[in-house]
Amino acid sequence: MSEKKTQLLIGGMSCAGCVASVERILQAVPGVDNAAVNFAEHTAGVTGSVGVQALIDAVVAGGYEAAELKGTTDEAAEKEAAEFAYYRSLLKKALVAGVVAAPLMGMMLFDVMPVLEGGGRAFWAMVAVASLFVMVYSGGRFFTGAWKAFKAHNANMDTLIALGTGTAWLFSFLILIWPTLVPPEARHLYFEAAVMIIALINLGAALEMRARGKTSEAIKRLIGLQVKTARVVRDGNETDVPIEQVGLNETLRVRPGEKIAVDGIIIEGRSNVDESMISGEPMPLEKNIGDEVVGGTLNKSGSFLFSATRIGKDTALARIIEMVRQAQNSKPAIGRMVDKIAGVFVPVVLLIAVITFLIWFNVGPEPKMAYVLLTTMTVLIIACPCALGLATPISIMVGVGKAAEYGVLIRNGEALQRAGQVTTVVLDKTGTVTEGRPAVTNLIPSTDWSEKKLLVIAASIEAGSEHPLAEAIVAAANERGLSLSPAEGFEAIAGHGVRARVDGQSVLFGNRKLMDDYSIELNDLPDAAARLAAKGETPMFLAVDGTAAGIVAVADPIKADSKAAIARLYKIGINVVMLSGDNKATAAAVAKQVGIDEVIAEVLPADKSARVAALQAKGEVVGMVGDGINDAPALARADVGFAIGTGTDVAIESADVTLMRGSLHGVADAIAISKATVRNIKQNLFAAFIYNSLGIPIAAGILFPLFGILLNPIVAGGAMAMSSLTVVSNANRLRLFKPEGAQQ
Amino acid sequence: MITLIVNLLAIVLAGFIIWWFWMSRPHLRLASGNAVIEVIIENGVYTPAHIEVPQGTPVRLSFERRDPSPCAEKVLFDGLDIALDLPLGEKTALVVGPLVPGEYRFSCQMQMYRGSLVVC
């Protein structure tokens, strides 16, 4: 057995002293190399070549309790094999029941069933034995399940199937051994019905299982991205080790064509990395020293070394898997309501069966017992709480998975449902509509000034500032290889700009207002500034010793696909508003370029959440799109918060939806997928409700007085098996859904 | 006479259904503060299905799934917003709490497998 790390959950530890005791117990197990107990988490990490059960047994023998704590790297293949084995066993059970039922059904159809006399009784006795065998072999699990549920004061599908088929078989058996119990016209036997129902239900369950497997394909694909081994560099040697053994800050080698094992930062070499599988970003990204790489993504061209910064459950991929899994398991409000109904459904059906019995027994026509049995049994068989219970979760499962395929991570079912109800999308400008990386776009020096001189002084005064625009100016100076001078007496004038002394000169750098306050003569610079602002650039004036030196214009480039994504939002009838802290002219120019009609400019970061609230007060369902850090309050305030990520920023706390691709197309995709999913849930619920609310009364014989129609219990069994399958198949249709105008 | 008896029996049965599934309190399996509570999922039920735990300590549960039906593949604690995937043939651990006294229901996705955790 190979060396491996096992995580155990330890019970029964009451004090820190137990830690040493449990560690001793574990270390005494042959094959254990190391055991460390964490008292706070009540867990133990054990390394060594030893099976989990041996460890658990040792801990239990020592007076404590233990269970294995599983990580996120579940063996998908193992699960698939187990599912397939179960599918095969269901098919086999259906086949065995079908082989017994089919000839009987044929005889019944051709009306050649022997009568219950003489040799006919012997035939029926054989049928009774054969059907009993089927009941035990193919339907045994329904009976055990029903009994166990009953003991726990619970009733489920098994209860209905076991009662329905059990009553049919028992009644038939009683008639067989004691025919005079009922009048001759009531002496119908239902052995074949019981067997056929069991065949159909097993077949339905098998088909449902196959269909269900497809609903979780998205998560299977994500799990499949996880790498099993990594090439670590230890003491100068490169060795392949299982992924679980990669430590934090270890150096790993990635060769061309290989998948990156864990998250990290490149420390040597460069390459192009395809991150499409995680972020949905179609183009490979160039990666250099200092750039982040994400586990599970594909290294295309170069070979490089990187230092592991996140391993195990902390990697972006593991967190994405966990988040998708959690979201797939969560339920929106619509599902919770249905759960309440599903929870009491079976006992209510049992009561309806009793009432059906009473009605037919007291006011039904002769042969009473035959009618009583037929209707009661059919009511039990036709009712299908599973279709009802399955309607919501199965669609959520597919919907959340579909969104993940488009690089959209949805936190839970509630967010998925709400995203489709959004009427107004509020976009933060910087980093959302634009790249969020401002750069110097224009230098307009006054007479007697050069571009170089203008930039040197502007960069010198801004070198101490942390403002993003300041960073852009300093970066521009660095790119040109200009050397800066120290700024003295630096003073930030809020909302206006900065003031300082550079090389003994008094320097002012900021907006028009700052210049006006100091009565700086700007000559023709304001006209140039207006032209720049109209293009979406932010002009800043520089004045040295009371004289205007020129304009430094900075702009944040608009993302290439923002315009198309915003057009998509308008097309689906959504009102788009852009929020910006920038001046009105610049914000309006950006809005114009991307086609946004409504702009709210000069908004302080702290006021963004109030602006969202104001829109909500007008009755709008607001989806706020911004970065997860600066816009957190606004994201939290909005009905749906969309956080723009950059591939690795998954699970942003304040966001309902994380757009890993960083593209606004994700918002339109999320809304379209949400609408499609909710529509799918409604179709499922409608089908399940209609099925049960029509099926049960018809089974109870409501159509009999008027039309003489009674449902055959076998038809009821078939319908029941089909109802769950219909719901699963309908949910599977969602897999084929493609949001209109989507990029991928 | 037989008609009367049958009617009476059916009414008693209806009353029993109401009492058994809605009114009577299921037997609670008492668990001590530090114990790992082993819940086995087999034949469509959680065993034990109803668990009582003392307040003030974290609840440590271990779900062992022996039931291959896909219905058993998830357990959801609705009030706690917890959903666990349960691989077949394995034990899956869950640590929650300490929880506020009250009843926390857990179930499969379709509400057919049902259980409750009572913190008192």
Side-chain angles (χ1 to χ4, degrees):
Chain A
M1 197 176 287
S2 64
E3 174 95 348
K4 63 173 187 172
K5 184 156 186 170
T6 310
Q7 283 285 329
L8 294 176
L9 180 68
I10 307 291
M13 291 195 298
S14 53
C15 61
C18 299
V19 171
S21 168
V22 174
E23 280 178 354
R24 249 196 327 274
I25 292 167
L26 288 168
Q27 270 156 2
V29 177
V32 169
D33 293 336
N34 190 29
V37 172
N38 180 329
F39 183 63
E41 292 179 354
H42 281 73
T43 57
V46 187
T47 46
S49 46
V50 61
V52 178
Q53 201 51 50
L55 297 171
I56 293 174
D57 291 347
V59 175
V60 171
Y64 299 93
E65 285 162 82
E68 190 184 4
L69 200 60
K70 296 290 289 178
T72 53
T73 51
D74 287 345
E75 291 302 327
E78 230 173 69
K79 185 178 178 237
E80 214 155 283
E83 279 177 357
F84 188 69
Y86 185 59
Y87 165 75
R88 291 269 305 259
S89 88
L90 285 174
L91 269 191
K92 206 165 131 191
K93 283 175 179 166
L95 192 71
V96 169
V99 163
V100 173
L104 294 172
M105 298 291 295
M107 289 170 78
M108 199 182 74
L109 278 176
F110 293 106
D111 210 11
V112 291
M113 283 289 201
V115 286
L116 202 52
E117 281 166 9
R121 280 190 78 174
F123 168 81
W124 281 111
M126 282 193 310
V127 171
V129 173
S131 57
L132 181 65
F133 163 75
V134 173
M135 301 277 279
V136 173
Y137 174 75
S138 302
R141 67 187 174 98
F142 303 126
F143 291 88
T144 8
W147 175 240
K148 286 199 168 184
F150 176 77
K151 283 199 294 182
H153 295 246
N154 201 359
N156 55 26
M157 276 299 290
D158 293 345
T159 314
L160 296 174
I161 300 164
L163 278 177
T165 56
T167 316
W169 191 90
L170 206 63
F171 175 84
S172 308
F173 185 69
L174 278 177
I175 305 281
L176 177 68
I177 57 169
W178 191 4
T180 52
L181 191 67
V182 292
E185 63 273 17
R187 287 174 199 163
H188 291 283
L189 300 182
Y190 296 100
F191 292 122
E192 84 288 349
V195 173
M196 198 63 193
I197 288 164
I198 284 174
L200 287 171
I201 290 169
N202 275 309
L203 180 67
L207 295 176
E208 184 191 323
M209 181 141 187
R210 286 299 265 194
R212 264 205 207 198
K214 295 196 180 107
T215 61
S216 54
E217 261 176 9
I219 197 129
K220 278 186 199 154
R221 237 194 324 267
L222 285 171
I223 291 171
L225 291 177
Q226 289 182 322
V227 180
K228 304 263 186 300
T229 58
R231 172 158 284 233
V232 294
V233 183
R234 288 176 183 162
D235 305 324
N237 298 317
E238 293 182 8
T239 40
D240 286 328
V241 299
I243 189 78
E244 298 81 18
Q245 292 178 14
V246 174
L248 208 56
N249 300 322
E250 268 204 290
T251 302
L252 287 88
R253 159 79 66 195
V254 190
R255 289 166 297 191
E258 278 182 349
K259 270 196 209 164
I260 296 163
V262 294
D263 296 356
I265 290 175
I266 296 188
I267 52 173
E268 192 187 304
R270 54 180 294 281
S271 184
N272 286 306
V273 177
D274 177 3
E275 293 188 347
S276 61
M277 54 293 280
I278 290 207
S279 67
E281 178 71 53
M283 296 298 289
L285 303 172
E286 195 184 316
K287 300 276 180 178
N288 290 304
I289 292 174
D291 285 344
E292 269 192 32
V293 287
V294 186
T297 58
L298 187 67
N299 176 32
K300 301 286 274 191
S301 50
S303 170
F304 62 88
L305 290 175
F306 75 98
S307 170
T309 53
R310 281 193 295 247
I311 54 170
K313 286 181 184 169
D314 296 327
T315 63
L317 181 57
R319 282 155 65 212
I320 290 170
I321 292 170
E322 192 49 34
M323 198 171 158
V324 171
R325 190 173 270 167
Q326 286 292 336
Q328 284 184 328
N329 289 341
S330 71
K331 272 185 196 161
I334 193 170
R336 298 222 171 91
M337 179 201 72
V338 178
D339 277 356
K340 288 207 170 79
I341 300 170
V344 295
F345 187 90
V346 178
V348 167
V349 170
L350 296 180
L351 283 178
I352 293 173
V354 174
I355 293 165
T356 307
F357 174 93
L358 279 172
I359 292 172
W360 283 92
F361 182 76
N362 290 304
V363 296
E366 288 297 342
K368 250 180 206 175
M369 275 320 286
Y371 281 120
V372 163
L373 188 78
L374 188 76
T375 50
T376 311
M377 181 166 78
T378 315
V379 164
L380 291 170
I381 295 296
I382 202 162
C384 186
C386 274
L388 209 56
L390 205 56
T392 313
I394 204 86
S395 301
I396 290 284
M397 183 112 150
V398 182
V400 168
K402 186 92 222 165
E405 278 176 25
Y406 283 87
V408 176
L409 291 185
I410 295 177
R411 181 164 294 281
N412 52 36
E414 196 67 49
L416 180 63
Q417 189 186 343
R418 257 203 326 261
Q421 296 161 352
V422 164
T423 55
T424 294
V425 166
V426 177
L427 305 171
D428 177 51
K429 182 178 81 78
T430 309
T432 303
V433 178
T434 65
E435 296 278 5
R437 288 189 294 270
V440 171
T441 47
N442 263 302
L443 294 166
I444 302 173
S446 298
T447 328
D448 301 334
W449 279 78
S450 68
E451 285 192 5
K452 187 178 154 191
K453 209 168 144 196
L454 181 66
L455 187 57
V456 166
I457 298 187
S460 298
I461 195 170
E462 290 284 38
S465 171
E466 285 174 0
H467 194 274
L469 297 185
E471 285 174 19
I473 294 167
V474 176
N478 289 339
E479 272 172 31
R480 287 168 169 83
L482 305 176
S483 53
L484 307 182
S485 306
E488 292 161 9
F490 181 89
E491 186 193 345
I493 306 157
H496 291 73
V498 292
R499 190 174 68 172
R501 292 192 74 78
V502 178
D503 294 335
Q505 306 168 99
S506 162
V507 180
L508 290 169
F509 188 53
N511 58 18
R512 173 80 186 265
K513 234 171 164 194
L514 180 73
M515 299 295 126
D516 291 348
D517 285 353
Y518 284 85
S519 309
I520 308 290
E521 181 62 50
L522 293 172
N523 307 320
D524 56 352
L525 288 179
D527 293 340
R531 279 198 305 278
L532 293 168
K535 285 198 289 176
E537 297 177 23
T538 306
M540 286 180 288
F541 298 89
L542 183 80
V544 178
D545 286 337
T547 313
I551 292 174
V552 178
V554 175
D556 185 5
I558 291 167
K559 286 179 187 167
D561 58 3
S562 285
K563 191 175 180 182
I566 288 161
R568 273 181 74 194
L569 290 172
Y570 277 121
K571 199 175 170 195
I572 53 174
I574 286 171
N575 182 30
V576 183
V577 178
M578 191 179 84
L579 277 189
S580 173
D582 242 324
N583 67 65
K584 281 184 182 148
T586 307
V590 171
K592 197 177 165 203
Q593 286 179 52
V594 293
I596 296 177
D597 304 330
E598 199 176 337
V599 185
I600 306 174
E602 294 171 16
V603 182
L604 295 173
D607 291 342
K608 284 182 184 168
S609 142
R611 297 289 180 164
V612 170
L615 285 165
Q616 286 171 322
K618 283 193 217 160
E620 300 287 335
V621 181
V622 179
M624 169 77 202
V625 193
D627 72 67
I629 305 141
N630 298 323
D631 301 326
L635 292 181
R637 156 66 74 174
D639 296 285
V640 185
F642 295 84
I644 290 258
T646 55
T648 52
D649 306 336
V650 288
I652 295 171
E653 283 306 317
S654 51
D656 298 308
V657 180
T658 304
L659 309 176
M660 288 188 294
R661 212 175 356 157
S663 158
L664 286 179
H665 276 291
V667 180
D669 293 342
I671 290 173
I673 290 168
S674 159
K675 283 187 173 165
T677 308
V678 171
R679 198 164 49 235
N680 199 271
I681 291 173
K682 284 182 180 163
Q683 289 161 352
N684 279 349
L685 286 177
F686 178 79
F689 268 112
I690 286 291
Y691 169 80
N692 280 300
S693 53
L694 288 182
I696 295 172
I698 293 172
I702 203 165
L703 298 179
F704 188 78
L706 285 177
F707 308 104
I709 295 173
L710 270 186
L711 211 58
N712 185 317
I714 296 172
V715 174
M720 199 273 261
M722 284 307 292
S723 64
S724 297
L725 190 63
T726 310
V727 165
V728 178
S729 306
N730 187 46
N732 261 326
R733 282 194 319 118
L734 255 187
R735 291 193 305 125
L736 307 173
F737 176 75
K738 187 175 186 300
E740 203 186 329
Q743 294 272 293
Q744 200 187 13
Chain B
M1 188 60 185
I2 288 175
T3 310
L4 184 69
I5 292 171
V6 170
N7 271 299
L8 276 177
L9 281 177
I11 290 165
V12 168
L13 179 64
F16 175 76
I17 290 169
I18 294 171
W19 173 74
W20 186 257
F21 293 111
W22 277 285
M23 299 168 76
S24 74
R25 234 182 121 68
H27 175 70
L28 294 175
R29 178 76 63 88
L30 200 68
S32 76
N34 287 306
V36 173
I37 305 153
E38 301 255 359
V39 179
I40 294 166
I41 303 141
E42 199 173 16
N43 293 319
V45 283
Y46 298 116
T47 312
H50 303 281
I51 306 149
E52 189 178 319
V53 290
Q55 60 172 301
T57 52
V59 183
R60 281 177 276 277
L61 294 162
S62 163
F63 286 91
E64 183 182 349
R65 179 179 162 206
R66 295 182 189 166
D67 193 331
S69 162
C71 303
E73 71 186 11
K74 290 177 196 296
V75 60
L76 288 97
F77 286 74
D78 244 9
L80 301 172
D81 225 11
I82 291 171
L84 271 191
D85 284 321
L86 308 172
L88 182 61
E90 291 180 15
K91 290 180 178 178
T92 309
L94 170 73
V95 186
V96 281
L99 298 169
V100 183
E103 188 176 4
Y104 301 86
R105 290 179 181 276
F106 54 94
S107 68
C108 70
Q109 283 192 308
M110 285 170 281
Q111 300 281 320
M112 292 292 103
Y113 295 55
R114 293 153 70 81
S116 62
L117 190 66
V118 180
V119 181
C120 52

